[in-house]
């Protein structure tokens, strides 16, 4: 067992991540991007907000973990603790009535 952190580890805190508003009341905080285009982010949605248009997953899939609140993909509600795998080529219309925080992972960019 090693007591020192592996120097290859990369880390950041959500509070330190830059904030970019993508639509009114919807903010993304990029956390990490890999050499192959993979990336991780936190998405914060205020109550009664929605994505403007359809969110299409290209070039690869999107992995979503609902950290807090209730997320709706345009078809159903996902409460905190839900995990959603959206395959490449699929789409949805992200929205929320309660507000929510999501952890997003894009394994292929």
């Amino acid at each position: 067992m090693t007591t020192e952190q592996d120097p290859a580890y990369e880390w950041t805190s959500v509070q330190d991540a830059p904030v970019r508003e993508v639509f009114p009341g919807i903010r993304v905080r990029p956390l990490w991007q890999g050499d192959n285009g993979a990336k991780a982010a936190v998405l914060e949605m205020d109550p009664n907000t929605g994505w403007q248009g359809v969110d299409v997953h290209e070039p690869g899939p999107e992995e979503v973990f609902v950290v807090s609140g209730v997320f709706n993909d345009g078809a159903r509600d996902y409460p905190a603790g839900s995990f959603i795998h959206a395959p490449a080529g699929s789409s949805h219309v992200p929205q929320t009535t309660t507000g929510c925080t999501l952890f997003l992972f894009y394994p292929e960019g």
Side-chain angles (χ1 to χ4, degrees):
M1 184 168 142
T2 304
T3 58
E4 293 182 32
Q5 184 177 6
D6 184 323
Y9 281 20
E10 295 180 44
W11 70 275
T12 188
S13 69
V14 173
Q15 295 82 4
D16 293 337
V19 179
R20 181 173 60 94
E21 187 168 60
V22 291
F23 297 112
I26 302 176
R27 297 165 303 283
V28 66
R29 294 175 181 263
L31 299 175
W32 171 83
Q33 184 158 349
D35 294 335
N36 65 350
K39 56 188 171 186
V42 167
L43 187 76
E44 303 164 334
M45 299 179 71
D46 292 343
N48 300 310
T49 58
W51 206 257
Q52 295 178 2
V54 177
D55 181 23
V56 180
H57 306 114
E58 296 176 344
E62 176 184 60
E63 313 288 346
V64 178
F65 180 77
V66 182
V67 176
S68 65
V70 178
F71 171 71
N72 181 287
D73 65 1
R76 65 172 290 190
D77 286 336
Y78 299 91
S82 298
F83 173 79
I84 306 152
H85 167 78
S90 66
S91 63
H92 62 170
V93 180
Q95 55 198 292
T96 182
T97 57
T98 64
C100 63
T101 299
L102 311 174
F103 173 76
L104 308 176
F105 181 65
Y106 302 92
E108 298 175 27

